[in-house]
Amino acid sequence: MTVAASTPIELINGVYATLDERIGAARERFGRPLTLAEKILINHLDAPDQELERGESYVDLRPDRVAMQDATAQMAWLQFMTAGLDEVQVPTTTHCDHLIQAREDGKKDLMVAVDTNQEVYDFLESVSARFGGGFWKPGSGIIHQVVLEQYAFPGAMIIGTDSHTPNGGGIGMIAVGVGGADAVDVMTGFPWNVKWPKLIGVRLTGSLSGWTAPKDVILKVAEILTVTGGTGAIVEYFGEGANNISCTGKATICNMGAEIGATTSVFGYDDSVARYLKSTGREAVADAANAVARHLRADDEVLANPEAYYDQVIEINLDTLTPHINGPHTPDLAREVAALGAEAKANGWPLEISAALIGSCTNSSYEDITRAASIAREAAAKGLKSKTRLLITPGSEQVRATIERDGLLADFEALGAVVLANACGPCIGQWDRSEETDHERGTTNVIVTSYNRNFPKRNDGDAETLAFVTSPETVIALALAGTLDFDPINDTITNDADEEVSLSTPVGLELPELGFDPGENTFVAPPADGSGIDVRVSPTSDRLQLLEAFVPWDGNDYEDLPVLVKAQGKFTTDHISMAGPWLKYRGHLENISGNLYLGAVNAFAQADGSEYEVGFGKSQVDGSIKLFPELAKHYHEAGVQWVVIGDENMGEGSSREHAAMEPRFRNGLVAIARSFARIHETNLKKQGMVPLTFADPADYDQIGEDDRIALRGLADLTPGQQVTVEITKPSAETISILTDHTYSEDQIEWFKAGSALNIIKARTAG
Ligand code: MIC
Ligand code: SF4
């Protein structure tokens, strides 16, 4: 398999060749017109006759590509290696973006990263070369930007081992974030299995203007749908307002759709996408897409009467949408920028901003940077400087080289900004703030970012940092004001001559007039024959560890399981398997298990009635109070198997399968929650843990600290049938409750085999 730095036009033509027939057949089958997501999915079905009931059936699909970032690719490749194949069966790329720590500036930080992560980069480069994958070196940019610039095409379907893979929806493709084990299915030539989604339509009317940016659309959608409202659904955007948003602006909206739990989000193909394709050197793709354009958007009847075809329709009028800012601690806590000052005062949040950050896969396009730079340039001319630390991360090498050439980086630097490496950086806790004199760790402080997530500790590992997410232009305005109590549209800032100056409306350029400068070539293609390449994993490494198979189910019911942790409130993947400093162990299951549940808020009170510190719980073996990862290790070593209890939307956030592999490795067998985020629930199933939801959410309260849990009837686990859970109290009293599961017939086999990977191994060996 040849994996190049772009998607070959033959692959694209192959995808387009079947559109007519498959879409026609599906219209007939359903007896109605189709939405865009339906068309793309139908064109990628493994077998056309599968049952397709929204929100019910599991279907097998054939994605066109797989993309993986370095922090998740390690575990995915380690799993792939156990399958015994000679090469990947679908074009696969690995992107080095998560492991670069922001400290001083882009150049120095990149050199340090190449040095400190050498073993991991060498592994990823050699494993890619060995098995025919493409490799994007550190410095090439954030996976989703590189995918949008190089690989994405309208009507495609790709999966990526990162929850913000839906960024690609901006170009009109179905791009879904998955765990590594899902990626391994596809890399080994098996279909990708997912629930046939529900469909949410978002009709955009009017057009964006002034300070309102594409980011505000998704900040508003997050407010309306909340962090769970998109679960199990694809969000499709349409309407005249959509046609007025640039391709990269559409990508911003789809990207942050991860925060509402959506399977993915997508826009139809239009002129803005054609312009973007041409500007990024893909005229042939635009021509091919133009020829099938009618298949790359929803049918006219659907657009004329969306209520009849989507499960839910939301309308947003872009003419009246105002700039928004969301946070702290959750991405759906929204308000207008102009209202934040008063709200901060009422809540006792500091008004002073300790850092302002622009970048991330959500907001680092040429248009984003030009809009923010227009404010920066004007501010410098008017005698303003940033009143807070200002950090800029370009999304890709191509964007960095282009904005440098066009003088835009200089506009930020004139305000005192530091330009970081083309990477995730502070967005994923890769931010060493120790050098900063204006911030003392552990003190409540406020940061504003153009990122997408803002869970506690996410950016700098400090639970006292309150992070707000907004558009890049609002970030820069707030940095100039230095305070949350600032409305960029109506307020003024005092300059160095003591004059009150106001900021003009941001102006941006959708695409660079001189075209993109590709910058440094950072792609490594695999050799035609990689079979001679040695992939080395040192047995003494503390960063990489070969995987051992999880043991199959022994056929008996689970009995007498203690509750390792009952988490209260948010229990995101950042709470379960924190990133930041732990990213370095993403290829070493045992070592990374040292972070298990470190962020969990224990729902129980201690014997004296006081709360546990975050990350601590009680041992059922000896009554000691321990950090959860130590408690898990101690149970593992003592041969004790256990249960984890979650609240709403357990596993919200990332695609990291470590959040499922670590508990499984440490003897966790069952996760019972009020509800799960899609990717995490699948990851649990894939790794052989049993995810169950309380049939009556109030039963969450029945579970006590010293209770024992049993699962009944596991041998009869059947799709659609409830599982009885028995809770035995210390008094020996037993309560039976009912739980639901979402296993399909095939997925029950994953549980029985010990993991989905064990099934792949059996099949590839056979
Ligand atoms: C994130 O934004 O949380 C990450 C880091 O990109 C993750 C992936 C990871 O944990 O490696 C994601 O979103 O999937
Ligand atoms: Fe990287 Fe942040 Fe995007 Fe995740 S959300 S891929 S950490 S930039």
Side-chain angles (χ1 to χ4, degrees):
M1 162 134 345
T2 38
V3 175
S6 58
T7 299
I9 190 72
E10 297 74 30
L11 190 159
I12 299 171
N13 286 335
V15 172
Y16 290 172
T18 50
L19 282 167
D20 246 343
E21 185 208 318
R22 294 196 184 168
I23 290 175
R27 277 199 202 104
E28 232 163 79
R29 170 173 173 190
F30 293 120
R32 60 167 174 82
L34 300 176
T35 79
L36 171 61
E38 287 175 326
K39 291 181 185 183
I40 301 178
L41 292 173
I42 282 163
N43 195 36
H44 288 86
L45 281 176
D46 182 41
D49 53 351
Q50 299 176 64
E51 198 178 290
L52 303 176
E53 202 179 321
R54 288 188 194 171
E56 290 297 328
S57 347
Y58 279 94
V59 293
D60 282 339
L61 294 155
R62 292 280 175 184
D64 302 311
R65 307 194 64 95
V66 177
M68 306 194 286
Q69 44 89 343
D70 49 5
T72 48
Q74 298 170 59
M75 219 30 111
W77 277 119
L78 287 165
Q79 292 176 79
F80 179 87
M81 282 166 68
T82 67
L85 290 181
D86 223 32
E87 63 171 10
V88 291
Q89 307 296 303
V90 166
T92 299
T93 48
T94 298
H95 303 256
C96 297
D97 54 0
H98 279 64
L99 300 180
I100 302 168
Q101 195 182 38
R103 194 152 183 269
E104 283 187 69
D105 66 46
K107 287 199 183 98
K108 288 188 203 133
D109 294 347
L110 182 59
M111 272 161 53
V112 172
V114 167
D115 189 43
T116 47
N117 300 315
Q118 193 185 1
E119 181 185 6
V120 171
Y121 292 147
D122 283 352
F123 167 71
L124 290 174
E125 187 167 351
S126 62
V127 82
S128 300
R130 167 67 187 83
F131 297 110
F135 180 72
W136 288 84
K137 291 199 269 197
S140 54
I142 307 171
I143 178 169
H144 312 302
Q145 291 305 317
V146 177
V147 167
L148 194 71
E149 288 167 359
Q150 310 286 339
Y151 294 117
F153 62 95
M157 187 177 136
I158 73 159
I159 56 168
T161 59
D162 189 280
S163 65
H164 292 102
T165 306
N167 188 67
I171 220 165
M173 70 177 185
I174 296 289
V176 187
V178 297
D182 275 27
V184 172
D185 284 350
V186 176
M187 289 156 72
T188 50
F190 293 97
W192 173 60
N193 182 263
V194 71
K195 195 172 266 182
W196 192 250
K198 294 199 171 160
L199 297 173
I200 299 176
V202 181
R203 185 200 287 118
L204 301 177
T205 60
S207 63
L208 291 173
S209 62
W211 280 85
T212 309
K215 184 68 162 281
D216 297 306
V217 175
I218 186 61
L219 295 174
K220 187 75 195 170
V221 170
E223 176 182 28
I224 298 170
L225 286 175
T226 79
V227 291
T228 53
T231 308
I234 291 186
V235 182
E236 256 186 75
Y237 290 85
F238 54 86
E240 37 145 352
N243 302 336
N244 297 324
I245 300 175
S246 67
C247 175
T248 52
K250 292 178 169 101
T252 295
I253 296 169
C254 294
N255 175 300
M256 199 179 154
E259 270 48 72
I260 55 167
T263 301
T264 192
S265 304
V266 66
F267 277 84
Y269 177 67
D270 64 12
D271 286 347
S272 72
V273 176
R275 287 195 296 275
Y276 182 72
L277 285 169
K278 287 184 185 147
S279 174
T280 49
R282 292 175 287 174
E283 290 82 358
V285 181
D287 290 347
N290 285 336
V292 294
R294 68 188 183 290
H295 293 317
L296 302 175
R297 48 182 171 251
D299 284 337
D300 290 342
E301 298 91 320
V302 171
L303 298 177
N305 184 18
E307 281 74 10
Y309 302 102
Y310 294 97
D311 299 286
Q312 180 183 357
V313 177
I314 294 169
E315 179 157 333
I316 296 180
N317 182 349
L318 303 183
D319 287 338
T320 55
L321 183 68
T322 49
H324 276 61
I325 183 162
N326 292 15
H329 298 330
T330 184
D332 54 356
L333 183 56
R335 86 284 293 159
E336 295 183 347
V337 175
L340 180 58
E343 198 178 325
K345 285 178 204 158
N347 284 304
W349 300 329
L351 292 179
E352 194 193 334
I353 298 170
S354 67
L357 304 99
I358 292 180
S360 92
C361 58
T362 325
N363 271 125
S364 52
S365 66
Y366 189 78
E367 184 179 45
D368 286 334
I369 300 291
T370 49
R371 279 175 66 87
S374 77
I375 303 296
R377 199 174 318 124
E378 186 200 25
K382 287 183 173 173
L384 296 175
K385 276 237 175 312
S386 175
K387 295 216 172 57
T388 183
R389 189 156 162 80
L390 179 59
L391 301 172
I392 316 282
T393 38
S396 69
E397 168 61 6
Q398 177 159 291
V399 164
R400 187 209 58 75
T402 309
I403 61 179
E404 181 173 53
R405 179 199 66 195
D406 295 351
L408 303 167
L409 282 181
D411 289 332
F412 294 114
E413 282 163 343
L415 291 183
V418 172
V419 178
L420 299 172
N422 315 322
C424 301
C427 181
I428 190 52
Q430 290 282 36
W431 182 19
D432 180 356
R433 292 185 85 181
S434 60
E435 305 283 299
E436 290 178 22
T437 46
D438 49 357
H439 168 67
E440 198 183 320
R441 209 180 156 78
T443 45
T444 307
N445 73 107
V446 162
I447 64 171
V448 291
T449 79
S450 72
Y451 305 167
N452 43 36
R453 288 201 173 127
N454 52 7
F455 307 137
K457 298 193 182 181
R458 166 108 182 155
N459 304 109
D460 59 0
D462 190 342
E464 295 306 317
T465 296
L466 309 180
F468 292 86
V469 292
T470 185
S471 69
E473 42 272 60
T474 298
V475 170
I476 200 97
L478 293 175
L480 292 165
T483 169
L484 289 185
D485 193 12
F486 179 70
D487 172 5
I489 302 176
N490 297 307
D491 293 348
T492 55
I493 309 175
T494 317
N495 72 2
D496 53 8
D498 244 359
E499 297 151 350
E500 290 302 305
V501 297
S502 50
L503 302 175
S504 308
T505 304
V507 275
L509 280 176
E510 179 185 346
L511 294 161
E513 276 163 359
L514 301 175
F516 280 101
D517 176 342
E520 214 177 295
N521 181 6
T522 49
F523 177 72
V524 185
D529 175 7
S531 58
I533 290 170
D534 189 22
V535 182
R536 288 205 22 238
V537 174
S538 158
T540 57
S541 170
D542 71 342
R543 300 207 46 184
L544 295 166
Q545 183 185 44
L546 294 175
L547 290 173
E548 280 184 32
F550 293 133
V551 289
W553 175 57
D554 68 4
N556 295 315
D557 277 352
Y558 290 154
E559 303 283 350
D560 206 30
L561 307 177
V563 177
L564 180 106
V565 50
K566 176 173 166 181
Q568 188 184 336
K570 280 239 189 230
F571 200 23
T572 71
T573 44
D574 282 357
H575 295 79
I576 301 171
S577 172
M578 188 179 292
W582 292 92
L583 284 171
K584 66 172 178 288
Y585 297 127
R586 285 289 186 87
H588 197 295
L589 184 54
E590 186 171 348
N591 286 349
I592 197 157
S593 297
N595 75 359
L596 183 58
Y597 304 135
L598 270 183
V601 175
N602 193 326
F604 303 120
Q606 298 202 56
D608 63 3
S610 64
E611 281 177 18
Y612 282 98
E613 267 180 69
V614 170
F616 281 87
K618 185 173 99 178
S619 162
Q620 292 298 326
V621 174
D622 59 16
S624 60
I625 308 295
K626 287 192 159 50
L627 263 180
F628 287 125
E630 280 161 25
L631 191 50
K633 184 169 181 223
H634 157 88
Y635 282 178
H636 185 197
E637 286 169 356
V640 176
Q641 299 177 311
W642 48 268
V643 176
V644 45
I645 307 291
D647 210 326
E648 290 290 0
N649 209 18
M650 175 171 174
E652 172 185 345
S654 158
S655 66
R656 61 190 77 136
E657 63 193 327
H658 306 76
M661 294 179 91
E662 294 174 32
R664 176 80 167 106
F665 169 70
R666 286 296 185 209
N667 265 3
L669 295 181
V670 185
I672 315 177
R674 285 181 153 132
S675 61
F676 288 97
R678 171 187 63 89
I679 307 180
H680 184 61
E681 185 182 34
T682 307
N683 286 342
L684 288 167
K685 287 181 188 170
K686 287 239 147 173
Q687 300 300 339
M689 282 213 27
V690 180
L692 300 171
T693 50
F694 296 104
D696 176 0
D699 282 343
Y700 167 91
D701 296 322
Q702 302 258 29
I703 297 188
E705 186 169 31
D706 302 324
D707 295 356
R708 296 294 166 134
I709 308 290
L711 261 53
R712 295 282 160 241
L714 276 180
D716 302 320
L717 194 60
T718 310
Q721 283 188 18
Q722 295 184 313
V723 173
T724 301
V725 170
E726 254 174 42
I727 308 167
T728 305
K729 297 281 165 192
S731 63
E733 178 206 355
T734 299
I735 309 167
S736 274
I737 61 166
L738 288 175
T739 58
D740 293 309
H741 68 83
T742 59
Y743 279 105
S744 65
E745 208 74 70
D746 290 345
Q747 294 172 347
I748 292 174
E749 297 308 312
W750 304 345
F751 153 68
K752 291 187 175 158
S755 71
L757 185 63
N758 288 346
I759 296 185
I760 292 190
K761 280 197 277 190
R763 286 202 207 149
T764 50

